[in-house]
Amino acid sequence: MKTLRIYLAALLALTAGACGRTVSDAETQRNIVYGIDADAYRLETGEIGKGETLSKILNNYGITVRQIDRLDRSAKEIFPLRNIRAGHRYTVFIHEDSLYAPHLDYLVYETDRTNYVVFGFHDGDSVSIRKDTKSTTLRRTQRSAVISSSLWGSIMEQNLPYSLAAEMENIYQWTVDFFGIQKGDSFTVIYDERFIDDTVSAGVDRIWGAKFTQGGKEYYAIPFRQGGKIQYWELDGTSLRKQLLKAPLKYTRISSKFSYARKHPVYKVYRPHTGVDYAAPKGTPVHAVADGVVTFKGWGGGGGNTLKIKHAGNLVTGYLHLSGYAKGISQGKRVSQGQLIGYVGSTGTSTGPHLDYRIWRNGTPIDPLKIPQKPAEPIAKKNRAAFEFVRDRILAELNGELPEEERITQLDSIVIPAPVLPAQPAGAAAEPKK
């Protein structure tokens, strides 16, 4: 167990209250930490060590075997003790009796940055378990950046939340070629960032709109709820979702493109290479680019461990040189778009870890980088007016032209305001009915 240290005063405000609850002045003065009056305790914090159990930690603080057993049984339905993980922080609340003997009343275990579990130890060997969430606030932000190397690089250079890059890649994964980003491409994005105590970022909560410019072409992302879930759309109501993902993996580079006369890196002769090679570290996750059925799983000769998946429109995709397959993947198995199917490797005839990704239509190989994309279902006619209302305000906000009070803040029920009619001059007579 790591050396314990006394909590800094700043943490008192950091963990005050439960999510969404306003912390009163009285509570602030009482130093409420994890919903507990910290003024009555001495606080110590530590980190779960590798191989360390909660039982061992509690035993070190004088909690009896009987209480630990009772806690284990009581916690099964709320937060099983076996779910404790190394590297997570915990805090203990200790009071001293009249003889200055220390007693542990609470241990708080942080399940992640914002959520925690409170284990309580009370008189008569009784125990309690409570799950809760730290108080957080949302801050809406608009930022723009010109890309010098990559999306991730620009996010870091602009000191933006790292999770923003992942969110944008998820939104544009059918539309923007992140392997073809060039210097001078740019983006503008509006997002909610969640903060603990208004200072510690807990990541991006939602993207409210974006414009990505690649090679002079603009790609918009407008959020709108249709079919029971929020999706992202182009300005004309076309879905950003397409039949195929742009690529079956992320955070890599293209090392070789589709060609009928490529010099083979091993055999040193020119031969067709009817696929795209994505150089990536061994173990990088590989995802299905579309819904389909696995038609082949096995050794593909020079292709090493290979998967082939059949999709609608007489398309078949191939994933070669895999180091292994995802759990549950087998011939005849139906997979969905974005599902994990395997991991990058260097099996077969290969000079290093990479994914050889291929597409066939009616048995004929086609260039994966040039395949035409069919969008998913567009905005329904009955939703068109509501979508255009949302779109126009998001677009104005992206352009910096929307007053704060007119921002779109929810997408569950869009109420379109009635048009404002011009006022008639005083004393004007009403037009007679015809």
Side-chain angles (χ1 to χ4, degrees), residues 116-171:
Y116 58 91
V117 184
V118 180
F119 301 106
F121 306 90
H122 315 290
D123 294 337
D125 287 345
S126 64
V127 298
S128 62
I129 304 97
R130 170 173 62 88
K131 294 174 70 174
D132 216 329
T133 305
K134 297 175 186 176
S135 177
T136 61
T137 56
L138 289 176
R139 188 180 304 164
R140 188 152 170 159
T141 304
Q142 177 185 328
R143 295 293 297 272
S144 299
V146 177
I147 297 174
S148 57
S149 58
S150 66
L151 174 62
W152 283 83
S154 295
I155 294 292
M156 296 176 66
E157 290 169 4
Q158 297 293 322
N159 199 29
L160 301 178
Y162 293 158
S163 57
L164 184 61
E167 293 288 340
M168 291 185 67
E169 285 192 340
N170 285 336
I171 290 172

Side-chain angles (χ1 to χ4, degrees), residues 275-288:
V276 174
D277 287 349
Y278 293 96
K282 180 181 178 181
T284 298
V286 177
H287 304 272

